Amino acid sequence: MARAQFQKGQKVWVEAVGLWAEIERVIPVWAKGFDEPVRVTYEVGLGREFQGHELQLPESATSSGLGNWRVLRARNKWQDQNDCAHHPFPGSYPVVVTDEADWGGWRVPGAEYDRMPERIEEQARIIAAAPEMLSVLSQLIDSVDEAPGDAPPEARRLADAAKAILRRIHSQPMPQRRALPTERPQLAEPADATPSAVVKLDERVA
């Protein structure tokens, strides 16, 4: 028996042609005497149907490609420790890092953290746990799809909700990048600037 590995609208890498495409239609192939499809193919707008092994999700869409997300503590530079005794961890604030070199990730401005530190601490823990939660959603979907007829109605409802969440994550269109200007804009000379003042400024810069 076969089950759908991708959903409509997902962005996938098509190995056979070497480009990205979007799932336009999920096509189950049925056979007489079987309650589940014997094969599932996908239409991605490239002239033919593709099988699941010919398509790949972006690395960032899989829990293994997300890496090790974790919460680190950064020193509070904008407040004295005596002024933030009401913080959960006085003298520091949470920083979520998503790179092995402790770079990237998520943080908030000091004023925002000071306004609601407990909420920010909780947000940091939730974000750091996101890869594990994505993995749980995928496992839930797989367990229900293996035998949808045997799954309780509540499990099927939760699996559908999990698919909707993953679809929102993986199908979000990226904004188009604006072309960078090819020439550096010329700065207008101040109206009260004298030629001698401009020359002296250029000499200092040089």
Side-chain angles (χ1 to χ4, degrees):
M1 300 296 101
R3 62 176 185 269
Q5 300 171 256
F6 310 98
Q7 288 84 43
K8 182 179 178 180
Q10 274 189 303
K11 180 181 179 181
V12 292
W13 175 258
V14 187
E15 185 66 26
V17 295
L19 53 78
W20 293 101
E22 186 175 290
I23 302 293
E24 296 181 353
R25 194 157 63 103
V26 179
I27 307 171
V29 179
W30 301 88
K32 187 176 181 180
F34 293 92
D35 296 328
E36 298 179 17
V38 296
R39 189 172 73 252
V40 177
T41 60
Y42 306 89
E43 191 173 292
V44 296
L46 295 176
R48 73 172 178 89
E49 297 173 12
F50 290 86
Q51 298 185 39
H53 69 272
E54 298 179 282
L55 308 174
Q56 299 175 13
L57 286 174
E59 287 187 5
S60 60
T62 62
S63 57
S64 60
L66 289 174
N68 177 28
W69 294 17
R70 56 212 178 275
V71 178
L72 301 183
R73 308 299 308 181
R75 185 170 63 87
N76 187 337
K77 299 179 181 179
W78 63 87
Q79 281 180 310
D80 185 84
Q81 189 166 341
N82 296 327
D83 296 332
C84 56
H86 62 287
H87 290 180
F89 301 93
S92 69
Y93 65 99
V95 173
V96 177
V97 295
T98 57
D99 186 88
E100 293 302 323
D102 293 344
W103 288 2
W106 168 93
R107 64 204 67 197
V108 297
E112 183 176 344
Y113 178 76
D114 187 56
R115 187 169 63 89
M116 45 185 182
E118 290 83 4
R119 184 176 180 181
I120 298 301
E121 293 283 351
E122 184 180 27
Q123 289 176 0
R125 294 191 296 270
I126 292 173
I127 294 172
E132 296 175 78
M133 291 190 284
L134 284 176
S135 177
V136 171
L137 291 180
S138 297
Q139 293 176 47
L140 171 63
I141 294 171
D142 289 343
S143 64
V144 172
D145 284 349
E146 284 180 1
D150 298 332
E154 181 64 13
R156 293 198 299 271
R157 186 189 68 80
L158 292 174
D160 289 340
K163 289 179 181 179
I165 293 172
L166 295 181
R167 192 177 304 117
R168 289 201 306 270
I169 294 172
H170 301 322
S171 304
Q172 183 67 29
M174 296 297 292
Q176 293 184 352
R177 289 188 175 184
R178 295 182 178 181
L180 296 175
T182 56
E183 296 183 2
R184 185 177 179 180
Q186 297 295 324
L187 297 178
E189 183 178 324
D192 58 347
T194 61
S196 59
V198 175
V199 171
K200 289 180 180 180
L201 177 60
D202 291 341
E203 288 174 354
R204 284 204 305 271
V205 173

